[in-house]
Amino acid sequence: MIAHTADLDPVTLRSVRGLLDAAFDGLDEHDWEHCLGGMHVLVHSGGEVVGHGCVVQRRLLHRGQALSAGYVEGVAIRPDRQGRGHGRAVMAELERLIRGGYELGALSTTEQGAGFYAARGWQLWRGPTSALTPAGTERTPDDDGGVFVLAVTAALDLDAELTCDYRDGDLW
């Protein structure tokens, strides 16, 4: 199922939140907010949400240009349903949405997830990362080595700086 946040009923949103809480050992309010306002890909089994991922619009600055990015958030598959292709199916739909509507895709992941995204053609951002904040542009060195991009129409220099727009909570 693919739907915008506005088209998901409260029961479904609670189910997604529960899945993400379990997958990420508790999701804070900012992390949850980052998943809202975009397109969700849901996997259902037996009437339950067992897989989720979403793409939200963000602006990324690269080499003096503001790029429209489809930013991937909240990718999770219930542990007892992993290894059945659900994660690949979720990402295939998210990538379709990104390719159809954005200049690039971007996401932040852990070392554990890096291989999954790299195998799908996502590229590790090798350059420095930063964020536009109310105080100006600030480096985000803790995010270096954890940001992946999927080029669509944007010409990218993976060794140059990449700057994300501001949001509360985790910037990347």
Side-chain angles (χ1 to χ4, degrees), residues 17-27 78-79:
R17 175 70 190 257
L19 172 68
L20 297 179
D21 279 337
F24 298 111
D25 291 324
L27 198 70
R78 207 169 80 184

Side-chain angles (χ1 to χ4, degrees), residues 70-131:
Y71 199 81
V72 175
E73 293 282 2
V75 176
I77 306 300
R78 207 169 80 184
D80 65 333
R81 302 301 170 96
Q82 293 176 359
R84 300 179 186 184
H86 296 317
R88 289 187 301 276
V90 166
M91 284 307 298
E93 284 302 312
L94 293 175
E95 290 160 0
R96 183 184 67 78
L97 293 169
I98 289 166
R99 287 186 178 102
Y102 301 96
E103 294 174 271
L104 78 154
L107 59 84
S108 177
T109 189
T110 62
E111 285 182 36
Q112 181 182 7
F116 174 74
Y117 297 111
R120 299 194 57 76
W122 288 74
Q123 297 177 291
L124 175 65
W125 194 266
R126 297 182 301 260
T129 59
S130 59

